[in-house]
Amino acid sequence: MPEIEFNNIVKRFGRVTVLEDLNLQVDDGEFLVLLGPSGCGKTTLLNMLAGLQEVTGGSIVIGGRDVTDLDPKDRGLAMVFQSYALYPTKTVRGNLKFGLSVQKLDRAEIERRVAWAANLLQIDKLLDRKPAQLSGGQRQRVAIGRALVKNVDVFLFDEPLSNLDAKLRTEMRLEIKQLHQELEKTIVFVTHDQVEAMTMASRIAVMNGGVIQQIATPDEIYERPANLFVAQFIGSPAMNTLKATVERADGSVSAVHAPTGARIDLSAYSFSAAPKDGDAVIVGLRPEHFSIGCNGHADAGAYFSLPVRYTEKTGSDVTAFLDSGDGGLIAVRFDHKHHHVPKMGEMVEIHFPKDRFDIFDAASEKRI
Amino acid sequence: MTMTAQTASLATPVSKSLRRKRIRGSSIAVLVFLAMWAAFVSIPLYVVIVTSFKTMDQVALGQVFALPTEWTFEPWRKAWSEVCAGMTCEGVSHGFWVSMKILFPSLLISIGISSVTGYALALWKIRWAGTFLFILFLCAFVPFQIIMIPLVVLISSLGIFGTIWAVAIVHSVLAMPLLTLIFRNFYKDVPEELINAAIMDCGSFWRIFFEIILPMSANIMIVVLILMITTVWNDYLIGLVFGGVGTQPMTVILANTVITSFGEVQYNVDMAAALLTAIPPLIVYFAVGKFFVQGITAGAIKG
Ligand SMILES: Nc1ncnc2c1ncn2[C@@H]1O[C@H](COP(=O)(O)OP(=O)(O)O)[C@@H](O)[C@H]1O
Ligand SMILES: [Mg+2]
């Protein structure tokens, strides 16, 4: 049963339309990540769910109850904000308690919940400090604690990790994931960081320009991106895309990439709609699926021999950017234990496995 | 001289010494200006202070710059409790207490209402907020004299003309546009996410104001307090127009004292009365003045 439903949501600011007829369902106990570039409407969507912004059209249902016209505090939600938004003049304890004092709970219950959340997030020793006396990571924990004590069924996070340094971000990612597994509550988590989305989500909704591009599990999003935007947004470095023309000859399907003259064997690709001879397509090749070196593979669906423009080394991984002939670059990622790091201008041979292509229609940019 | 000799040996001696000279020239101008300004203020102040400690015999000699030959507090005592203003002869002390009684309701009403209005305009989504702000902005620049007579009619129809409340309410109403703008500008720097968090936690307009916003307002409160205390205390016209017999503030009593004279003009008493009237705002400045600058420059949220 869906816990949250967005039905035909429209949002306009004056004459600017941010969201147009958006539909989305979040299942009970799910960790849904809204992923998309800045300005695509993620915060707007979350704020409308929280009741902080009004919808222009459509309805929002939480737990079977239409909350479209309900006040934020009556929607049974808790939210963690990007800037933490702790009350600066209250102590940590005061911050945690403020949301409870309106719930008409007795004193003992309030103390019990504060102690529980403080213990869970290891902030018990900080309870009497003011936010200004806390580090970024500690403030983040308090912000999460302030949401947890409310004991609601749905938690909203708006880019909560983007103000933390890389190490803390990785730690908090794990902690939030663990909290979700422990508490089994529904979480809607907004981020523009694909790593956060891929590591935490049970499902990801990829958004662009106010439109949901695809909703699926992280694996599905990665393996079978629904369109070119999703394909290029997910994965680092981004997926290589080559414009090619379909050639059909006695039962076999292939695509020819004119600048390199490479023939890409598509016979192992399962088309949802088979292309005709001469159709323009975009072939997606993830940098990490290439194998590098001259020892050819039997299952290779594409072969290139191209000069290196430059290389980037990140730990054990190397990304080589090869000149694809038409001014574009083909990124190839490999482990430098298996192959030496090529020098600039050096010709390298790369192979791409038959069953790993992503094919998109050149006009609609949808997966075919 | 040694300085120029040293700089001459450096790579860019000309530009360096030129710049140094220019700075010296402009700072001399500033110093001269400040000195003139200081003299302009402090010479009369000096005369007022020394005169207030002189006996009438010495005042009669007409040497205004001379120090008192015989220091006396008698003029101060007379000014406080004996001097005549019009028909009554009870010194400026009566005016002092009236001013106090006007001051506190004025502060309470004006700051109370304008802080809440500023908070609502800055942090809650209010229809026509922009228009309302513009009107407030215009109101803040309407000179009191223009609306004085209609205000008198209005206050009379409320039946409080000539009372302390009349003076206090007029002060509050006139101060409100400016104070509301000051509060709104301060509160609009409160991060949107903070108020959103509070709305999700509680949703009550008043609880958010009293528990979250007001405790963050210490800086701006001090600024507004000083502003209001000085305007209300130093006001003459509103007190003169709206105050009645026995409810006129200290400034009006002071003026009447100076005007009223039986025979010889008691300059020393007049000066003492003037100083007595000026002292309360000074005390406020000295007590919280350093927070004033801090409050004007600081935002709602510390770094
Ligand atoms: N109050 C507003 N008035 C006008 N436009 C807005 C307002 N809030 C957001 N927008 C616009 O809506 C779009 C989506 O914003 P937002 O939801 O904050 O994006 P995201 O959180 O995905 O970065 C942006 O293009 C932004 O300019
Ligand atoms: Mg955002």
Side-chain angles (χ1 to χ4, degrees):
Chain A
M1 191 198 120
E3 176 72 5
I4 302 167
E5 291 173 53
F6 292 95
N7 299 318
N8 311 99
I9 297 294
V10 178
K11 179 64 182 176
R12 296 198 181 88
F13 292 107
R15 249 177 286 148
V16 182
T17 303
V18 177
L19 302 171
E20 182 75 58
D21 197 28
L22 181 141
N23 288 285
L24 175 65
Q25 297 194 339
V26 185
D27 291 333
D28 194 13
E30 182 171 37
F31 196 129
L32 182 96
V33 173
L34 285 173
L35 175 66
S38 288
C40 75
K42 308 179 297 288
T43 299
T44 308
L45 189 64
L46 204 67
N47 282 349
M48 288 191 301
L49 176 58
L52 297 167
Q53 286 180 354
E54 284 177 14
V55 298
T56 312
S59 68
I60 299 173
V61 177
I62 301 175
R65 190 168 57 131
D66 188 331
V67 298
T68 315
D69 298 317
L70 234 52
D71 274 349
K73 71 172 193 323
D74 301 323
R75 295 191 179 198
L77 306 166
M79 186 153 167
V80 177
F81 295 87
Q82 179 172 4
S83 63
Y84 317 138
L86 300 179
Y87 309 127
T89 55
K90 286 187 180 291
T91 60
V92 169
R93 190 191 304 279
N95 267 277
L96 297 188
K97 274 179 163 177
F98 184 64
L100 297 179
S101 47
V102 281
Q103 287 188 6
K104 301 202 174 59
L105 298 169
D106 61 58
R107 193 168 295 234
E109 171 67 10
I110 291 179
E111 292 302 334
R112 198 191 61 73
R113 285 206 202 164
V114 170
W116 167 78
N119 183 38
L120 196 63
L121 292 160
Q122 298 145 37
I123 49 172
D124 357 29
K125 295 199 175 58
L126 311 174
L127 281 175
D128 296 313
R129 295 214 201 153
K130 294 277 179 69
Q133 300 165 305
L134 302 177
S135 70
Q138 291 170 332
R139 284 180 211 184
Q140 175 68 79
R141 283 163 198 276
V142 176
I144 295 175
R146 189 172 63 180
L148 285 187
V149 289
K150 295 211 276 181
N151 194 27
V152 290
D153 293 329
V154 180
F155 291 95
L156 313 180
F157 290 80
D158 189 0
E159 311 216 13
L161 306 182
S162 54
N163 287 343
L164 299 177
D165 60 54
K167 183 167 171 288
L168 263 177
R169 202 179 308 167
T170 318
E171 284 172 19
M172 287 308 294
R173 217 156 64 195
L174 197 68
E175 274 192 48
I176 294 175
K177 183 81 191 151
Q178 281 169 351
L179 274 177
H180 174 246
Q181 278 159 0
E182 243 169 85
L183 304 173
E184 299 178 327
K185 299 290 173 75
T186 309
I187 291 183
V188 181
F189 189 104
V190 162
T191 182
H192 63 263
D193 182 324
Q194 49 154 322
V195 180
E196 277 173 29
M198 296 300 276
T199 50
M200 296 201 285
S202 47
R203 276 199 311 160
I204 299 177
V206 183
M207 282 181 77
N208 186 36
V211 177
I212 295 185
Q213 307 287 326
Q214 185 174 9
I215 312 174
T217 61
D219 285 346
E220 170 109 15
I221 295 257
Y222 178 78
E223 300 289 347
R224 297 181 52 82
N227 58 38
L228 197 59
F229 175 81
V230 177
Q232 292 196 296
F233 195 74
I234 302 285
S236 169
M239 180 188 275
N240 299 296
T241 52
L242 303 179
K243 288 200 176 92
T245 315
V246 172
E247 277 187 15
R248 277 178 173 279
D250 43 67
S252 78
V253 191
S254 57
V256 174
H257 179 236
T260 56
R263 176 173 295 273
I264 300 164
D265 179 7
L266 302 180
S267 53
Y269 184 82
S270 54
F271 285 101
S272 55
K276 293 190 298 294
D277 191 51
D279 275 2
V281 293
I282 294 170
V283 181
L285 310 102
R286 291 215 181 268
E288 56 272 32
H289 294 333
F290 281 103
S291 50
I292 187 163
C294 46
N295 41 338
H297 289 261
D299 64 344
Y303 163 82
F304 304 88
S305 177
L306 298 167
V308 173
R309 276 266 204 95
Y310 60 93
T311 55
E312 272 176 3
K313 220 172 142 182
T314 48
S316 66
D317 276 350
V318 179
T319 306
F321 292 88
L322 314 184
D323 196 330
S324 69
D326 54 353
L329 291 171
I330 295 181
V332 177
R333 206 173 87 191
F334 59 93
D335 191 327
H336 75 77
K337 273 195 272 203
H338 301 315
H339 192 276
H340 73 279
V341 179
K343 285 186 284 295
M344 216 166 78
E346 186 179 331
M347 295 294 281
V348 292
E349 294 178 45
I350 50 170
H351 303 267
F352 197 87
K354 255 189 211 154
D355 52 352
R356 287 291 187 137
F357 293 113
D358 293 284
I359 315 290
F360 307 96
D361 181 67
S364 71
E365 301 193 343
K366 288 209 171 71
R367 186 183 192 86
I368 50 175
Chain B
M1 283 309 283
T2 54
M3 199 61 134
T4 38
Q6 275 167 4
T7 49
S9 65
L10 289 172
T12 53
V14 180
S15 66
K16 266 206 171 162
S17 55
L18 268 182
R19 194 179 305 151
R20 191 162 287 149
K21 259 185 203 135
R22 208 173 300 143
I23 286 170
R24 207 176 289 157
S26 62
S27 55
I28 285 172
V30 169
L31 280 177
V32 168
F33 173 77
L34 286 178
M36 280 169 61
W37 182 250
F40 188 72
V41 173
S42 53
I43 290 172
L45 184 65
Y46 166 81
V47 173
V48 170
I49 292 174
V50 291
T51 308
S52 75
F53 288 105
K54 287 176 185 173
T55 59
M56 255 334 273
D57 291 343
Q58 196 192 348
V59 171
L61 296 178
Q63 293 162 327
V64 289
F65 294 107
L67 281 171
T69 45
E70 186 190 328
W71 291 77
T72 170
F73 282 99
E74 191 58 15
W76 287 74
R77 196 188 57 75
K78 270 194 185 163
W80 180 249
S81 55
E82 274 178 20
V83 81
C84 298
M87 292 289 109
T88 52
C89 293
E90 40 194 14
V92 291
S93 65
H94 184 254
F96 175 85
W97 296 116
V98 172
S99 278
M100 281 292 183
K101 281 186 218 162
I102 291 170
L103 183 62
F104 283 96
S106 304
L107 292 179
L108 220 65
I109 297 171
S110 61
I111 295 178
I113 295 180
S114 57
S115 60
V116 174
T117 318
Y119 154 71
L121 284 172
L123 300 177
W124 291 76
K125 294 181 184 92
I126 292 186
R127 215 172 276 249
W128 304 112
T131 318
F132 188 67
L133 272 173
F134 184 67
I135 293 172
L136 275 182
F137 180 74
L138 291 183
C139 291
F141 291 100
V142 174
F144 166 64
Q145 287 84 340
I146 290 181
I147 54 168
M148 183 168 82
I149 292 167
L151 260 182
V152 169
V153 177
L154 199 71
I155 292 289
S156 314
S157 70
L158 291 177
I160 53 171
F161 186 82
T163 66
I164 280 168
W165 284 103
V167 186
I169 286 173
V170 171
H171 270 304
S172 308
V173 169
L174 290 179
M176 244 176 263
L178 184 65
L179 295 196
T180 307
L181 288 175
I182 291 177
F183 276 111
R184 192 209 76 111
N185 273 7
F186 183 77
Y187 289 141
K188 84 169 173 8
D189 289 340
V190 172
E192 194 183 358
E193 288 196 342
L194 187 74
I195 188 79
N196 279 349
I199 289 174
M200 289 199 68
D201 267 354
C202 151
S204 150
F205 179 89
W206 293 106
R207 283 203 52 182
I208 294 175
F209 179 69
F210 285 113
E211 286 201 37
I212 309 289
I213 299 300
L214 204 54
M216 291 164 58
S217 314
N219 281 329
I220 200 68
M221 281 296 171
I222 287 180
V223 171
V224 166
L225 264 178
I226 292 186
L227 199 70
M228 274 307 281
I229 290 175
T230 31
T231 4
V232 173
W233 195 274
N234 291 341
D235 156 74
Y236 173 73
L237 195 53
I238 296 174
L240 181 71
V241 173
F242 293 90
V245 180
T247 59
Q248 285 172 326
M250 201 169 183
T251 45
V252 178
I253 303 290
L254 172 69
N256 291 350
T257 307
V258 177
I259 297 162
T260 315
S261 55
F262 304 102
E264 172 188 47
V265 182
Q266 293 186 302
Y267 284 115
N268 54 356
V269 178
D270 289 349
M271 300 301 164
L275 285 171
L276 279 170
T277 312
I279 280 171
L282 280 182
I283 291 175
V284 175
Y285 276 136
F286 284 127
V288 291
K290 78 164 192 272
F291 299 113
F292 185 78
V293 180
Q294 188 182 316
I296 278 185
T297 49
I301 293 268
K302 274 180 229 141

